[in-house]
Amino acid sequence: MKSSKTTIKDIARALRVSAATVSRSLNNSHEISEEMRRLVLSKAKELNYKPNINARNLLRRRTNMIGVVVPEFTTFFFSEIIIGIQEVLNAEGYQVLICQSSESGVIERQNIEMLESSMVEGLIVSVTKDAQNIDLYNRIITDGTPIVFVNRVPPKLQATQIVIDDRKWAFKIVDHMIRCGYRNIAHLGGCQNLSVTKERLQGYIDALSAHNIPIQEKYIMYVGVQQEHAKIGVDYLLSLKKRPKAIFAINDSIAIGCMLELRKRGLRIPQDMAIAGFSESPTGRIMELTSVAQPTLDMGKLAAQHLLQQIRGLTTPTETIVLDGKLNIRKSSLPIGKRK
């Protein structure tokens, strides 16, 4: 017999059903048959399962509320994801409680705990730049709470996530810059704990390797994801004895910050330094920045749809949905022969 540390996942594994099915059985959901409920209760007793009070309070009744936590509202990116989420959930009669973590792990945790106390039926989350709250999300997943991660995903979590193929599209950007004649290409990465940082760095490395260009560690620097941090990267790259001729930035915010900093120093784009970003912002389009457009509305819609499936017990709580992007080439990365 197991100890009191038995979880919903243990019961689900023993019965070969989803954790969501077990959770709903334990909470007397009308969506679960009487036979399944009896099986779950019997197995829970056999394994000496002790319910998590917070989790039971969260799921014991319908509230028609869904919690959404995103890092910031200042850029269009997360705003468009939220629009997609609301479009799906509002049509199904749900209210959406939206919280901003302001890129703070402490605030993110407070937001999640507040939403739990408000008895939301599920959560959609894009984590902060430092991805600090792995323990919190592991507990939520173990308790059987429906949750979907979108865009930014904590490492080593078994949870449904809606993402873009960051590695593939980073490769395409850097491959484009190489084909335009650039060889010494720097990469300003994001925060090292983020999956998007790792995937986009790998795409950069893949592209250089595909063209037999040596990887130079001096051209790789982690600066974060916020525009004001671009200055750190620009100061460093310009201090090098052999400056790079192009920069691939982790996102449009850093790329735009680079463009502004370089222009302050009297450098021209792309004549003195080519730039490419990632995430296709309105400001980037105005500044003629080469970037990858992501299907933000679709990301939000799919996150909401998969969360609803979890709530209704129609799917397993672990899926990875990878969406495609589009490379938009603009003046910031003109081929060397076409620059004036």
Side-chain angles (χ1 to χ4, degrees):
M1 182 177 291
K2 290 195 176 184
S3 69
S4 60
K5 293 183 179 179
T6 298
T7 68
I8 283 176
K9 282 189 174 181
D10 293 323
I11 301 171
R13 195 176 298 114
L15 294 174
R16 295 183 179 180
V17 298
S18 71
T21 295
V22 173
S23 178
R24 280 154 186 73
S25 298
L26 293 172
N27 288 282
N28 297 317
S29 170
H30 69 277
E31 298 168 337
I32 301 298
S33 70
E34 190 60 36
E35 180 183 3
M36 176 57 69
R37 184 179 290 107
R38 283 198 300 268
L39 283 171
V40 169
L41 292 175
S42 174
K43 184 59 68 174
K45 184 177 180 180
E46 176 188 334
L47 298 177
N48 195 29
Y49 170 72
K50 303 296 183 184
N52 178 289
I53 299 302
N54 288 334
R56 287 187 66 86
N57 285 340
L58 181 66
L59 293 171
R60 68 187 176 186
R61 65 181 176 85
R62 289 205 63 185
T63 61
N64 289 332
M65 293 192 297
I66 300 296
V68 175
V69 182
V70 296
E72 44 86 2
F73 297 147
T74 56
T75 63
F76 85 103
F77 184 84
F78 290 108
S79 299
E80 289 195 356
I81 288 177
I82 289 169
I83 290 170
I85 291 170
Q86 289 180 308
E87 185 174 319
V88 171
L89 293 178
N90 289 346
E92 294 292 328
Y94 284 88
Q95 297 298 313
V96 182
L97 303 181
I98 304 168
C99 299
Q100 175 183 228
S101 62
S102 300
E103 294 288 10
S104 163
V106 173
I107 296 175
E108 179 182 74
R109 181 177 288 269
Q110 292 171 348
N111 286 337
I112 295 293
E113 291 173 348
M114 179 276 292
L115 291 168
E116 285 189 294
S117 67
S118 299
M119 302 173 100
V120 295
E121 293 188 44
L123 296 162
I124 298 175
V125 181
S126 187
V127 301
T128 62
K129 60 186 179 181
D130 297 322
Q132 296 177 346
N133 294 313
I134 307 298
D135 63 320
L136 172 65
Y137 295 120
N138 271 322
R139 190 265 296 165
I140 288 171
I141 293 165
T142 299
D143 288 343
T145 302
I147 186 168
V148 173
F149 292 93
V150 61
N151 181 243
R152 295 192 195 173
V153 182
K156 299 179 182 179
L157 272 188
Q158 296 299 312
T160 291
Q161 48 189 282
I162 314 295
V163 295
I164 188 176
D165 192 334
D166 291 285
R167 182 172 177 174
K168 167 186 171 181
W169 288 100
F171 175 93
K172 286 183 176 291
I173 286 181
V174 179
D175 178 72
H176 151 72
M177 299 181 94
I178 294 169
R179 292 177 186 279
C180 285
Y182 303 100
R183 287 296 180 271
N184 297 325
I185 303 172
H187 176 52
L188 295 182
C191 303
Q192 295 187 55
N193 288 336
L194 288 177
S195 58
V196 296
T197 298
K198 297 173 183 177
E199 291 298 306
R200 293 175 192 176
L201 171 62
Q202 192 58 56
Y204 162 84
I205 292 171
D206 291 346
L208 293 180
S209 299
H211 289 271
N212 297 313
I213 298 174
I215 310 301
Q216 300 189 63
E217 294 295 331
K218 67 180 180 180
Y219 286 156
I220 300 173
M221 184 181 186
Y222 297 96
V223 296
V225 295
Q226 294 164 303
Q227 183 174 316
E228 57 267 26
H229 295 159
K231 182 180 186 300
I232 300 170
V234 170
D235 286 343
Y236 165 71
L237 294 175
L238 294 184
S239 73
L240 295 175
K241 186 174 182 180
K242 187 174 183 180
R243 294 178 177 179
K245 295 296 183 181
I247 299 172
F248 164 47
I250 180 70
N251 61 16
D252 271 23
S253 293
I254 294 297
I256 290 166
C258 287
M259 294 175 81
L260 295 174
E261 288 297 326
L262 290 168
R263 286 171 179 172
K264 282 181 184 178
R265 292 161 171 77
L267 298 176
R268 301 167 300 164
I269 300 162
Q271 292 89 337
D272 299 313
M273 187 83 73
I275 307 283
F278 203 113
S279 64
E280 184 66 8
S281 65
T283 303
R285 287 196 294 270
I286 293 170
M287 295 178 71
E288 292 289 340
L289 173 66
T290 292
S291 188
V292 168
Q294 300 183 78
T296 47
L297 283 172
D298 288 342
M299 293 175 84
K301 289 178 182 179
L302 283 168
Q305 289 165 359
H306 280 267
L307 186 71
L308 287 175
Q309 289 175 8
Q310 283 188 42
I311 290 171
R312 294 163 180 168
L314 301 176
T315 188
T316 59
T318 306
E319 293 182 84
T320 298
I321 296 88
V322 181
L323 303 181
D324 223 343
K326 179 184 178 184
L327 175 58
N328 291 319
I329 299 169
R330 301 190 179 92
K331 290 181 181 179
S332 73
S333 64
L334 280 177
I336 288 176
K338 294 185 178 180
R339 300 181 306 181
K340 295 180 180 181

